[in-house]
Amino acid sequence: MHMKDLTNFESKESQVAVGEGMIDIRRIFGALIATRYRGFVDLEYEIYPDDPMPGVIASFAYMRGVLEGMGYPSRS
């Protein structure tokens, strides 16, 4: 599964770091947990190609925080 966040559901060009957009990441993780999803959740980050790492780091930090808030400790 690929994870990304958008500020506008009508435009794929509205991508932002995960947690800065409109997508309900907690709800997505909840659905994956409820269905016992055993695959990977990959970050799909296609903006700022000259310097993507700040957004990549922020996205992973946000996703880890959501999971920790749901009771799933980080394995970092």
Side-chain angles (χ1 to χ4, degrees):
M1 184 191 136
H2 290 191
M3 180 71 72
K4 68 165 48 176
D5 207 349
L6 303 170
T7 60
N8 177 344
F9 292 138
E10 303 296 321
S11 172
K12 66 181 179 179
E13 286 78 28
S14 72
Q15 184 179 1
V16 292
V18 174
E20 295 179 6
M22 299 173 61
I23 295 179
D24 189 342
I25 305 303
R26 188 181 193 292
R27 187 172 177 189
I28 290 171
F29 282 148
L32 293 173
I33 292 164
T35 60
R36 299 179 182 261
Y37 178 72
R38 298 288 178 214
F40 293 97
V41 176
D42 297 319
L43 176 63
E44 186 171 334
Y45 191 79
E46 303 165 323
I47 54 178
Y48 305 114
D50 293 335
D51 189 21
M53 289 312 293
V56 168
I57 291 167
S59 295
F60 277 115
Y62 182 83
M63 291 187 287
R64 284 184 177 135
V66 169
L67 288 170
E68 286 177 11
M70 297 173 75
Y72 294 89
S74 177
R75 293 190 209 173
S76 39

